[in-house]
Amino acid sequence: MGTVRRPGPRARRTLAALAIAALTAGGTQVPGAAAEPGQGADRDGRQGAGTYVNPVSKGFADTFADPAVVRGEDGHWYAFGTTDPLRSGEGTMHSIPVARSADLVDWTYVGDALGGDAPAFADTDAAYWALDITRHDGRYWLYFTVTETTVTGERGDSAIGVATAPTPAGPWTVHDEPVVAPRPADGGSGFKWTFDPAHVVDTDGRRHLYYGSYHGGIWVTELSADGTRAVGEPTMVATDNRFEGAYAVRRGGWWYLFASSGDCCAGPTTGYSVFAGRSRSVRGPFTDREGVSLTASRTGGTVVLTPNGNRWVGTGHNSVVTDLAGQDWMVYHAIDRERPYLDEPYGVNRRPMLIDRLDWEDGWPVVRGGLGASERRQKAPVTDPRHARAADRERDGGHRDRQGHRPGRLDPARGDEFEGDRLGPGWSWVRPADVRLDGGRLVWPTQDADLHKGSNTASVLLREAPRGDYTVETMLTIDLGEDTVRNYQQAGLVAYTDDDRYLRLSHVAIWNTRQTEFGKERPYADRVAYGSMTVGPPARTTWLRLRHTTDPRTGEHRFRAYTSRDGARWIAGGTWTMPADAKVRIGLASHGGSGATAEFHHFRVHRG
């Protein structure tokens, strides 16, 4: 319905880009480095001394999804990726490919961790992905997802496995029983997604494992002392239908839970993003910067990394490493929106490995001080012990604006306060709807209609957009309730060219969750692509903003999303782009299924 929906197991394998059987702001340039936007490493894949350009996996792979990194006792860093071919045209699926680096930016492929050592409980067509690598008790522990098992005799019965080795390069000894066994779904039909393990050791020495995904949520369980099996009762720490890709770190007396949200693999419209919550306990509850729980129906999550309008979309599924100067770095994958597939078009999603500085501001993690994924040359991590020093806290210039911005002057002629008994001048309809004005509100029941690929039946209320920079805002009350399953009623702002070229910022019901979703639809090759990213937690009344600017290099339209629960404190989300020649109109929509009523309290346009 134009939202991130919980796909079935077969669709999930497509989202994870696994070709196996049966199955949504550019970086600032380092002073003195002559780099152009999008400039990569040298032609042989080598990075410059003391600097780097994303993607750092370019020297050995075109795609290296779900990266996890650990430093070995030999002083090298080792990166582990999900099952995929490494290069376009290769066709060979690598079972947890491994790469090695002396500096975190130049990487060399060294082999596959599970190339010939499948767990005894793995089905013959299983793949291994979304893994975690840690060092504990003198050994390296590799926890990984097994997509198909022989445990239940049914399809889609994913589980968590583990292997150990004396070094990150192996040899690996695979444990032949699941650490977390397949879990039947509620109601007895199919299985919960037992994906994305993350291993931690608590302050009391007890080991824990996070795991789970959209279908079933993220959970944490204690592990046996030998790390090979779950013990006790697990605890849900992040709600289903919103999060996956857990990763946890401890800092300043807090446990921080990173989790990714959105469709990982929607090609050029992939809005995958990283969020965080924190807790004093390894078992939660985890809450975001606003105090909203990651298990709430109106789901919390503080934005750590989200698409920023440069070449990179789908910025997610992270791990964290610390360089020798004490600076943290986020390692993650992303998609080049101009080259989104490994074998064009619609092959495996091309998700190379990126690295960027992870800052901590007021107790919360954020990539590059809020600038997000870099595409220009950056200062490299400190990885030479001779050069170890205090972490360089220099900030890149640029537009962070994480807590909202101050819009320019109000342009009353472009907006509408919805006073009186009719709409103000300047509005036009795409497919008229039955709406009414009532005491300063535009009342619009959600339509049993949609704008999603071929389902172009919903009404859209539009007006001309001004030239130059502007901000469009609305205050929206919608009775979506909480906790109950309601799909996919929504209402909010649109930036619209036509039915297959639009952006939409909505408060939306997605199964048991309520989210603010910033979606994009556009034609790609011979199809229509749709994807979305999430912003801040909604309330029954939620304020929504789209901030429009123009890329000075390309002329592209950039729209950044903002949400607020009180109209005062704003949360900045990600950025979608539209082509320079797009004739964009701005407006409102209310659709996705009948059963709710949207009340728009105003539609305001600010210039500048």
Side-chain angles (χ1 to χ4, degrees):
M1 306 293 289
T3 64
V4 174
R5 274 168 277 179
R6 186 177 69 202
R10 190 174 298 269
R12 168 61 184 170
R13 289 172 179 79
T14 300
L15 297 181
L18 297 176
I20 59 179
L23 295 174
T24 41
T28 51
Q29 186 173 324
V30 173
E36 296 300 325
Q39 177 180 333
D42 296 335
R43 187 162 296 181
D44 64 358
R46 303 293 293 176
Q47 302 279 0
T51 65
Y52 73 95
V53 178
N54 278 319
V56 295
S57 58
K58 180 179 180 180
F60 76 94
D62 297 326
T63 192
F64 196 77
D66 309 331
V69 177
V70 70
R71 190 172 187 231
E73 293 300 291
D74 61 0
H76 286 79
W77 278 267
Y78 291 80
F80 296 72
T82 210
T83 297
D84 267 332
L86 291 176
R87 294 289 192 189
S88 293
E90 176 186 8
T92 299
M93 303 297 282
H94 293 269
S95 295
I96 307 186
V98 185
R100 180 173 54 216
S101 174
D103 58 9
L104 287 171
V105 297
D106 281 311
W107 294 87
T108 302
Y109 170 67
V110 296
D112 296 344
L114 300 186
D117 297 302
F121 64 91
D123 196 81
T124 55
D125 64 358
Y128 313 103
W129 38 278
L131 52 107
D132 185 52
I133 178 73
T134 55
R135 186 175 185 272
H136 181 69
D137 285 346
R139 288 187 293 171
Y140 292 87
W141 295 79
L142 182 65
Y143 292 90
F144 51 89
T145 304
V146 180
T147 60
E148 299 284 351
T149 83
T150 58
V151 174
T152 68
E154 299 182 52
R155 306 301 295 173
D157 60 341
S158 55
I160 304 299
V162 67
T164 60
T167 75
W172 291 95
T173 300
V174 181
H175 186 68
D176 282 333
E177 296 291 334
V179 179
V180 181
R183 301 172 298 149
D186 297 336
S189 177
F191 295 87
K192 295 179 180 178
W193 292 350
T194 308
F195 300 165
D196 303 354
H199 173 227
V200 299
V201 180
D202 203 356
T203 53
D204 60 5
R206 290 189 294 179
R207 303 170 68 169
H208 291 78
L209 191 75
Y210 296 89
Y211 61 90
S213 184
Y214 301 126
H215 186 19
I218 296 177
W219 297 74
V220 63
T221 184
E222 187 176 346
L223 294 177
S224 58
D226 67 0
T228 63
R229 57 189 173 86
V231 296
E233 290 296 319
T235 302
M236 177 182 275
V237 292
T239 191
D240 50 341
N241 302 300
R242 172 65 192 273
F243 294 113
E244 66 171 13
Y247 188 86
V249 300
R250 183 169 173 80
R251 180 185 174 93
W254 295 93
W255 281 102
Y256 289 84
L257 179 64
F258 297 82
S260 295
S261 183
D263 188 335
C264 73
C265 308
T269 56
T270 302
Y272 210 45
S273 304
V274 179
F275 295 80
R278 70 182 186 181
S279 173
R280 293 295 185 183
S281 168
V282 72
R283 285 185 173 267
F286 290 90
T287 57
D288 68 8
R289 193 170 192 157
E290 311 302 306
V292 181
S293 173
L294 271 60
T295 59
S297 177
R298 292 173 179 157
T299 313
T302 294
V303 177
V304 180
L305 176 65
T306 192
N308 59 17
N310 67 11
R311 68 186 280 201
W312 300 116
V313 297
T315 51
H317 205 118
N318 72 288
S319 58
V320 176
V321 295
T322 305
D323 71 12
L324 299 189
Q327 173 66 54
D328 288 334
W329 296 80
M330 180 172 281
V331 184
Y332 59 100
H333 69 238
I335 293 176
D336 185 337
R337 57 187 168 102
E338 298 303 325
R339 301 184 69 196
Y341 295 105
L342 198 61
D343 297 294
E344 294 283 0
Y346 305 111
V348 171
N349 278 254
R350 179 194 291 255
R351 296 179 287 169
M353 178 172 65
L354 283 65
I355 184 170
D356 277 304
R357 193 185 69 240
L358 181 66
D359 296 323
W360 296 84
E361 298 187 350
D362 301 323
W364 289 95
V366 62
V367 171
R368 294 200 309 133
L371 290 173
S374 68
E375 65 175 351
R376 299 189 186 186
R377 192 166 294 279
Q378 304 291 308
K379 291 182 180 179
V382 176
T383 55
D384 187 333
R386 297 170 299 177
H387 300 151
R389 62 185 186 277
D392 183 358
R393 302 300 296 173
E394 178 184 345
R395 292 287 183 268
D396 292 305
H399 183 63
R400 295 174 186 81
D401 200 17
R402 292 190 310 285
Q403 300 303 318
H405 69 289
R406 294 183 179 179
R409 62 178 177 84
L410 182 66
D411 185 349
R414 299 258 177 194
D416 199 330
E417 297 297 317
F418 302 128
E419 298 170 343
D421 59 1
R422 66 180 61 188
L423 291 169
W427 291 105
S428 63
W429 285 100
V430 175
R431 294 175 292 271
D434 183 13
V435 302
R436 62 185 174 86
L437 271 63
D438 182 5
R441 299 168 299 157
L442 172 65
V443 181
W444 189 350
T446 55
Q447 297 178 295
D448 187 13
D450 210 338
L451 289 177
H452 183 241
K453 298 184 178 180
S455 301
N456 296 321
T457 54
S459 302
V460 190
L461 180 61
L462 298 171
R463 61 191 309 120
E464 296 297 319
R467 295 182 180 272
D469 295 348
Y470 61 87
T471 299
V472 57
E473 174 191 311
T474 193
M475 173 182 173
L476 168 68
T477 300
I478 186 168
D479 54 342
L480 296 177
E482 296 182 75
D483 296 313
T484 58
V485 172
R486 296 177 67 171
N487 294 326
Y488 292 93
Q489 301 100 323
Q490 61 187 284
L493 296 169
V494 293
Y496 177 95
T497 297
D498 59 42
D499 283 342
D500 293 330
R501 297 170 178 83
Y502 65 84
L503 311 178
R504 175 176 54 190
L505 176 60
S506 300
H507 179 181
V508 56
I510 303 176
W511 293 81
N512 54 301
T513 70
R514 307 296 181 260
Q515 304 181 32
T516 55
E517 183 184 78
F518 187 29
K520 177 178 181 176
E521 185 166 289
R522 58 158 286 191
Y524 183 80
D526 59 347
R527 305 183 194 178
V528 176
Y530 180 88
S532 65
M533 58 186 86
T534 308
V535 193
R540 189 175 188 275
T541 296
T542 306
W543 285 253
L544 306 172
R545 278 180 182 167
L546 290 177
R547 167 69 173 159
H548 172 268
T549 57
T550 303
D551 188 309
R553 295 181 291 112
T554 66
E556 281 187 320
H557 299 277
R558 287 183 170 181
F559 288 88
R560 191 175 192 187
Y562 300 80
T563 66
S564 175
R565 296 186 300 155
D566 60 8
R569 179 177 173 83
W570 290 85
I571 296 174
T575 299
W576 285 125
T577 63
M578 299 183 79
D581 61 355
K583 305 301 182 184
V584 182
R585 291 181 287 171
I586 52 178
L588 302 170
S590 177
H591 55 243
S594 59
T597 299
E599 298 178 2
F600 296 98
H601 298 263
H602 60 247
F603 181 90
R604 294 174 181 165
V605 177
H606 297 260
R607 303 293 297 273

